[in-house]
C-alpha cells in the first residue's frame, strides 16, 4: 500500500461522497484521476485490503423498524446452500455462518431480516422456515433495539 492508496482509504473511510461522481470527487481530494482511484480501489479489494464496496442503508430511515437477526440451526453440510437461499431473499440483507456453542447456543446460520414492524419480520421468518423445510432444526429472532455505528475500513491510529 503506497501513499495514494492510503489517501484513498482516508478519503473514503467514512463512506463514498454522496455526489453524482463519487470516484471523481475522491480523485480530486487525493490529487489523482477518477480512473486511477477506481483501479486502485479494485486492486485493494482484490488484495483483501478492502473487503467490499457497497451501500450501507439506514433501514430505520427507510421505514424498516422491525429489523431482526434470525438465527437458525441447520445441518452443517447444508450451511452453504441454506445460506445462499436465505441470502437471496429481498428482505434479507445478509446471511452468514457462525459456529455453534452447545448446549447454550445451537444456531449456526444468521440472517438479518428487515420489515416495517416486528410482525412483518416474524411473517418473513416463517416464510424462511417453510423454505428451509426439514433443514430448519430450530430458529429464533433477536430484534434490534438500536442502530449500531456502521463504519468502513479504519487505518491504525485514525480517530474518525
Amino acid at each position: 500500500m503506497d501513499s495514494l492508496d492510503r489517501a484513498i482509504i482516508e478519503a473514503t473511510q467514512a463512506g463514498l461522497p454522496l455526489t453524482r461522481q463519487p470516484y471523481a470527487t475522491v480523485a480530486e481530494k487525493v490529487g489523482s484521476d477518477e480512473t486511477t482511484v477506481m483501479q486502485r480501489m479494485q486492486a485493494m479489494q482484490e488484495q483483501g485490503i478492502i473487503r467490499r464496496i457497497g451501500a450501507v442503508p439506514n433501514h430505520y430511515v427507510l421505514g424498516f423498524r422491525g429489523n431482526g437477526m434470525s438465527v437458525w440451526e441447520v445441518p452443517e453440510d447444508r450451511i452453504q446452500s441454506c445460506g445462499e437461499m436465505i441470502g437471496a431473499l429481498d428482505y434479507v440483507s445478509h446471511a452468514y455462518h457462525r459456529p455453534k456453542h452447545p448446549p447454550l447456543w445451537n444456531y449456526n446460520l444468521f440472517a438479518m431480516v428487515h420489515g416495517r414492524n416486528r410482525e412483518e419480520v416474524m411473517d418473513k421468518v416463517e416464510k424462511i422456515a417453510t423454505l428451509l423445510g426439514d433443514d430448519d432444526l430450530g430458529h429464533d429472532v433477536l430484534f434490534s433495539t438500536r442502530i449500531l455505528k456502521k463504519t468502513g475500513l479504519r487505518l491504525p491510529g485514525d480517530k474518525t
Side-chain angles (χ1 to χ4, degrees):
M1 192 166 70
D2 65 13
S3 61
L4 180 56
D5 290 337
R6 185 175 182 84
I8 291 169
I9 290 170
E10 288 173 351
T12 60
Q13 63 189 3
L16 286 172
L18 298 176
T19 62
R20 286 183 161 263
Q21 296 178 293
Y23 296 102
T25 304
V26 171
E28 184 177 323
K29 185 173 184 176
V30 301
S32 187
D33 62 88
E34 182 177 23
T35 301
T36 300
V37 166
M38 291 185 341
Q39 289 171 341
R40 292 291 190 106
M41 290 183 78
Q42 179 66 39
M44 285 189 280
Q45 190 173 12
E46 290 168 2
Q47 295 167 18
I49 296 168
I50 297 174
R51 187 176 55 202
R52 70 181 189 91
I53 300 169
V56 181
N58 182 326
H59 295 94
Y60 286 81
V61 171
L62 297 173
F64 293 90
R65 299 183 177 274
N67 308 303
M69 180 61 73
S70 63
V71 293
W72 305 84
E73 180 181 7
V74 300
E76 285 294 329
D77 64 344
R78 301 274 302 139
I79 282 283
Q80 187 72 29
S81 60
C82 291
E84 288 174 0
M85 179 175 49
I86 292 172
L89 298 170
D90 63 357
Y91 48 84
V92 173
S93 61
H94 52 281
Y96 50 92
H97 180 203
R98 287 288 185 255
K100 293 181 181 184
H101 295 282
L104 300 174
W105 192 258
N106 291 315
Y107 306 113
N108 55 357
L109 180 60
F110 291 32
M112 192 68 188
V113 178
H114 300 282
R116 301 213 178 270
N117 54 53
R118 288 182 177 207
E119 182 178 307
E120 184 179 329
V121 169
M122 292 307 293
D123 289 344
K124 291 174 178 178
V125 167
E126 287 311 308
K127 289 179 183 177
I128 294 171
T130 300
L131 283 172
L132 289 175
D134 292 339
D135 288 332
D136 176 11
L137 305 177
H139 65 273
D140 203 349
V141 181
L142 311 170
F143 282 99
S144 300
T145 57
R146 62 189 172 103
I147 299 174
L148 299 176
K149 183 179 179 184
K150 298 178 181 184
T151 60
L153 174 65
R154 295 288 185 256
L155 295 172
D158 184 36
K159 302 285 191 252
T160 59

